[in-house]
Amino acid sequence: MAMPLRQSMKVAAYLFEQKLRKRDKFALLVELEPLFACNLKCEGCGKIQHPAGVLKQRMPVAQAVGAVLESGAPMVSIAGGEPLMHPQIDEIVRQLVAKKKFVFLCTNALLMRKKMDKFKPSPYFAWAVHIDGLRERHDESVAKEGTFDEAVAAIKEAKRRGFRVTTNSTFFNTDTPQTVIEVLNFLNDDLKVDEMMLSPAYAYEKAPDQEHFLGVQQTRELFKKAFAGGNRRRWRLNQSPLFLDFLEGKVDFPCTAWAIPSYSLFGWQRPCYLMSDGYVQTYKQLLEETDWDSYGRGKDERCANCMAHCGYEPTAVLATMGSLKESLRAARETFTESRG
């Protein structure tokens, strides 16, 4: 996996432990949503469609940290909404880092420079800034001018202060291989972020814009062309080689949404953060009371065009761990990244 060596080793040890314990389902990363409120109205997101009363709620620190600890996952992605709007987000991060959980704080960066003093650089903490394209394209996707420039300024300031900075880019059917290449070149070569994550847009049911999500074949064609010419090897992508193969259509996988569960103000969400078939209050209930075999492409029509990382990246990771050849391949890429 193209991730920092410390993180890669801890995740590998965790997976080995699950194998020894003969657990067939477990959390690899928790999607934690301590609020739904946001300071943007992105066309591809439906979180702010919740009622006003729900948007005012903030998850208590103990509840947020407790959910992650309950799952046992070594990694947590804190999203929302905009998590920097949570008045105690720094304390949530501090406690998770103290437990040596790898924390990715997802943000649109509008509040990042203002809140940065509340956080400390750590090998267990990374900013995950959402960047969906270069200036015009990004600002259009988030429906607010100036957002791209503020995100770039925040990334530069975080890097100056010694923080680890990653990015997350979602691509739609309005993208071309060239627009993918342009933004990833900028993030990789100009901003020099530590790692980048990319994902094909999935038709989130509450999103205002339902016309520009990618289908499976469109996704494969887009990334196959964007990855050509050595780009894939050159970019510092924070995803497993097999998942990138999956995006290109070189391999196919079943969905393992149970490995990246979502916990929000409503509880543990079935089956993933992109779909909502009800909530349960404990992680044990989520694992044992969800019919996981009924989800995924070919099983549920809502999943027909989904190639999102929350369902398929963990499948790729597990396939990597189950193959000596793929483990060596991932280790080689991790070693290359650690020296870069």
Side-chain angles (χ1 to χ4, degrees):
M1 297 170 67
M3 62 174 64
L5 188 58
R6 182 197 301 261
Q7 182 180 344
S8 181
M9 291 178 65
K10 184 165 184 177
V11 170
Y14 172 79
L15 291 173
F16 184 66
E17 178 186 357
Q18 307 314 305
K19 185 175 183 179
L20 287 179
R21 293 175 179 268
K22 297 182 179 181
R23 292 173 177 164
D24 61 347
K25 291 182 177 63
F26 48 85
L28 184 62
L29 177 147
V30 171
E31 293 275 1
L32 177 66
E33 296 178 316
L35 80 173
F36 293 129
C38 191
N39 48 8
L40 288 176
K41 298 180 180 180
C42 302
E43 291 296 310
C45 176
K47 297 297 182 181
I48 62 170
Q49 304 301 317
H50 289 290
V54 173
L55 294 179
K56 292 179 181 179
Q57 295 179 30
R58 305 291 184 264
M59 186 182 293
V61 173
Q63 182 181 345
V65 175
V68 177
L69 297 182
E70 177 193 4
S71 75
M75 300 180 289
V76 54
S77 174
I78 306 179
E82 170 51 57
L84 288 178
M85 293 176 65
H86 193 296
Q88 295 176 294
I89 189 61
D90 55 316
E91 182 61 18
I92 294 175
V93 169
R94 189 193 68 77
Q95 291 194 25
L96 290 171
V97 167
K99 297 291 185 181
K100 294 188 176 181
K101 301 295 183 181
F102 290 95
V103 179
F104 297 86
L105 181 57
C106 303
T107 177
N108 57 40
L110 289 181
L111 295 172
M112 190 169 155
R113 286 196 289 176
K114 181 180 179 180
K115 303 281 188 177
M116 202 173 294
D117 287 340
K118 294 179 177 290
F119 301 87
K120 295 181 179 180
S122 166
Y124 291 95
F125 174 70
W127 298 98
V129 181
H130 202 83
I131 300 286
D132 277 349
L134 297 182
R135 181 179 292 106
E136 182 178 353
R137 193 170 195 83
H138 177 78
D139 287 357
E140 180 182 5
S141 73
V142 301
K144 185 173 182 178
E145 291 185 9
T147 303
F148 177 82
D149 289 340
E150 179 57 34
V152 169
I155 289 171
K156 289 180 177 179
E157 177 61 16
K159 292 288 290 180
R160 187 188 71 79
R161 296 192 189 194
F163 285 101
R164 181 181 168 206
V165 181
T166 67
T167 56
N168 181 15
S169 300
T170 304
F171 297 103
F172 296 81
N173 65 11
T174 50
D175 279 292
T176 66
Q178 188 57 36
T179 63
V180 175
I181 291 168
E182 287 173 354
V183 68
L184 294 182
N185 276 347
F186 175 75
L187 297 171
N188 191 84
D189 302 336
D190 298 343
L191 281 187
K192 300 185 186 301
V193 300
D194 293 279
E195 289 98 24
M196 302 171 292
M197 188 175 78
L198 48 84
S199 181
Y202 168 78
Y204 184 66
E205 60 183 359
K206 290 186 177 181
D209 181 358
Q210 291 289 320
E211 299 179 3
H212 297 121
F213 293 104
L214 286 162
V216 171
Q217 193 56 40
Q218 288 177 305
T219 296
R220 290 170 174 167
E221 292 175 359
L222 177 66
F223 288 110
K224 183 177 181 180
K225 292 177 181 177
F227 289 161
N231 284 331
R232 175 176 154 176
R233 293 188 298 274
R234 184 173 59 82
W235 290 329
R236 293 182 296 278
L237 298 174
N238 186 23
Q239 286 160 314
S240 65
L242 275 179
F243 180 72
L244 299 178
D245 287 349
F246 169 75
L247 290 183
E248 288 192 68
K250 293 179 178 179
V251 296
D252 201 7
F253 291 123
C255 174
T256 50
W258 46 262
I260 302 186
S262 176
Y263 185 79
S264 72
L265 293 165
F266 299 146
W268 294 98
Q269 182 172 335
R270 291 195 182 112
C272 64
Y273 82 97
L274 293 167
M275 294 169 59
S276 182
D277 283 356
Y279 298 84
V280 293
Q281 294 309 302
T282 70
Y283 179 64
K284 186 173 186 291
Q285 285 178 293
L286 180 73
L287 284 188
E288 296 179 356
E289 299 176 13
T290 304
D291 183 8
W292 298 105
D293 291 336
S294 66
Y295 296 103
R297 284 184 287 112
K299 298 178 179 180
D300 187 313
E301 62 180 12
R302 295 171 297 175
C303 305
N305 289 316
C306 181
M307 295 183 72
H309 69 281
C310 61
Y312 297 97
E313 174 75 82
T315 325
V317 172
L318 295 172
T320 297
M321 294 299 295
S323 164
L324 177 60
K325 177 182 177 181
E326 293 300 334
S327 294
L328 291 174
R329 178 188 178 196
R332 185 167 57 250
E333 293 198 13
T334 298
F335 180 69
T336 300
E337 292 290 341
S338 69
R339 295 183 63 186

